[in-house]
Amino acid sequence: MGSKIEYVDSSHLYATNYVRNSKAIGVLWAIFTICYAIISVVAFVTPEWIGDLETEYPRKFGLWQICRADESVEDCKGRLDDFLSINGFVFKVATVLVGAAVALALFTICAMLLFFFCQSTTVFHICGWLQLLSALCMIGGVAVYPAGWSETAVQETCGPTADQYNIGRCHVRWAYLLAVIGCLDGIVLAALAFILATRHVKLQPDTAYPTSSLYKGEVNNAYVTDATSVSVSGSRKSLALQPVLLMHPHAPLDLDAYSHYSGRTPRSKHAAHHYQL
C-alpha cells in the first residue's frame, strides 16, 4: 500500500511560525530590558557627565557628585543619603528624575516575573508602561541637567563663559552620552512591549478532514476541480460521493425526466412508448 499523505493547513503553519518568532523577539526584548537597567544605573552613579581635567580646578561632574581629580586621590562631594549636600537646585531635580528612571527600570525587571503567573499580553502592557515612564524620566533628567551649568563650581572649572546649556571650556563625558543612549533605548523597548502585547494570533481550531485516509494510489485526479483543493479531494472510494440526479424544473410530473449528462437509449425510448400506450 502506498505511503500515507499528510495535509497541513497553511494557517496553522503561519500561526506556528508567528508564535515561534514572537517568542524569540520577546527574549531579545527581555535581554535589552536588563541592559537598559544596567545603563541607567551606571549613568546614575558615575560622576562622568561633564568635566575638564586640564584646568586650574580640574573637576568631574555627575548628577549628584562633584569630584576633584588630583594626582594621588579623587575627592568627591555630594551624597544620596544627604540630599542637601548635592550642589544646586537643578542638579537635585535631575538626580530625582534619573533616579526615578532607574527605579522604574528595575521594577520592569521584577514585573517580568509575572510571565509565570499572568497572561503575556497583560505583562507586556505593564512592562511597556513602566518602560515608557522610565524613558520619560530619563529624558527629563538629561534635558534639565544642562540648566545647572551656570553654578559657581561649574564656572570655576569650565570658565566664566559657562552658562545654562553652554558648557564653556568643559567637555561632555561618556556618562552623559550613555544617558542619552538610555533615553532612546527606553523608548524603543516601550514601543516593542506594546507591539508584542497587541499583535497576537488567535489559533484556529483543527480542520475536520475526511475520516478515511488518502493514499497516493487512491487519489484520482479526474475528480479534482478548480473549486476543490487536493486536501479535500480524492477518489470516489475515499470521498464516498453520492449520486445526483438533475431534474428539469418545468418538466411534467407524469413524464420521465433525464439528467443533462445522460442520453436516450433504445431501451429508454421503448419504456416511454410503453407508458404512452
Side-chain angles (χ1 to χ4, degrees):
M1 185 176 292
S3 59
K4 187 175 181 179
I5 301 177
E6 297 182 356
Y7 299 100
V8 180
D9 195 354
S10 60
S11 61
H12 289 274
L13 291 177
Y14 172 78
T16 302
N17 293 332
Y18 186 88
V19 170
R20 186 184 298 112
N21 294 334
S22 62
K23 287 183 179 179
I25 296 174
V27 172
L28 291 177
W29 170 84
I31 293 174
F32 284 109
T33 297
I34 298 174
C35 293
Y36 169 70
I38 295 174
I39 289 174
S40 301
V41 171
V42 172
F44 180 71
V45 301
T46 305
E48 292 282 352
W49 284 52
I50 62 172
D52 191 354
L53 303 180
E54 298 179 357
T55 62
E56 185 180 356
Y57 300 95
R59 289 171 180 162
K60 298 182 297 183
F61 298 88
L63 281 171
W64 45 277
Q65 281 184 319
I66 300 176
C67 296
R68 181 180 178 86
D70 295 332
E71 294 181 358
S72 57
V73 66
E74 187 176 79
D75 183 21
C76 296
K77 296 181 180 180
R79 296 185 307 173
L80 287 177
D81 56 353
D82 186 6
F83 196 72
L84 296 177
S85 65
I86 300 176
N87 183 41
F89 174 76
V90 177
F91 288 161
K92 293 177 182 178
V93 174
T95 301
V96 171
L97 290 174
V98 178
V102 172
L104 291 170
L106 296 177
F107 286 154
T108 304
I109 297 177
C110 296
M112 287 193 296
L113 298 176
L114 296 176
F115 280 113
F116 297 101
F117 309 101
C118 304
Q119 293 182 352
S120 59
T121 301
T122 304
V123 179
F124 276 125
H125 272 117
I126 295 174
C127 294
W129 282 112
L130 290 175
Q131 288 179 329
L132 181 61
L133 293 176
S134 177
L136 292 177
C137 290
M138 182 68 74
I139 292 173
V142 170
V144 168
Y145 184 79
W149 293 347
S150 60
E151 297 289 335
T152 303
V154 178
Q155 289 183 345
E156 288 177 356
T157 302
C158 302
T161 58
D163 200 355
Q164 293 183 352
Y165 297 94
N166 184 5
I167 201 172
R169 295 195 304 263
C170 291
H171 306 283
V172 175
R173 301 180 71 84
W174 62 269
Y176 188 82
L177 299 178
L178 192 64
V180 174
I181 295 174
C183 296
L184 300 177
D185 192 14
I187 292 294
V188 172
L189 289 175
L192 183 58
F194 286 124
I195 291 174
L196 291 174
T198 55
R199 293 178 64 87
H200 61 278
V201 175
K202 182 178 180 181
L203 296 180
Q204 300 177 356
D206 294 336
T207 304
Y209 294 108
T211 56
S212 58
S213 302
L214 296 179
Y215 295 90
K216 291 182 179 180
E218 295 182 356
V219 175
N220 190 344
N221 294 329
Y223 293 97
V224 179
T225 62
D226 294 335
T228 308
S229 62
V230 177
S231 61
V232 296
S233 299
S235 63
R236 289 179 180 268
K237 177 181 178 182
S238 60
L239 296 182
L241 299 177
Q242 299 296 330
V244 178
L245 178 62
L246 300 180
M247 304 293 294
H248 194 280
H250 303 291
L253 297 178
D254 56 345
L255 294 180
D256 290 340
Y258 296 92
S259 169
H260 294 284
Y261 300 99
S262 64
R264 290 177 176 269
T265 61
R267 183 178 179 181
S268 62
K269 293 180 180 180
H270 177 73
H273 178 72
H274 175 74
Y275 284 121
Q276 290 178 358
L277 293 178

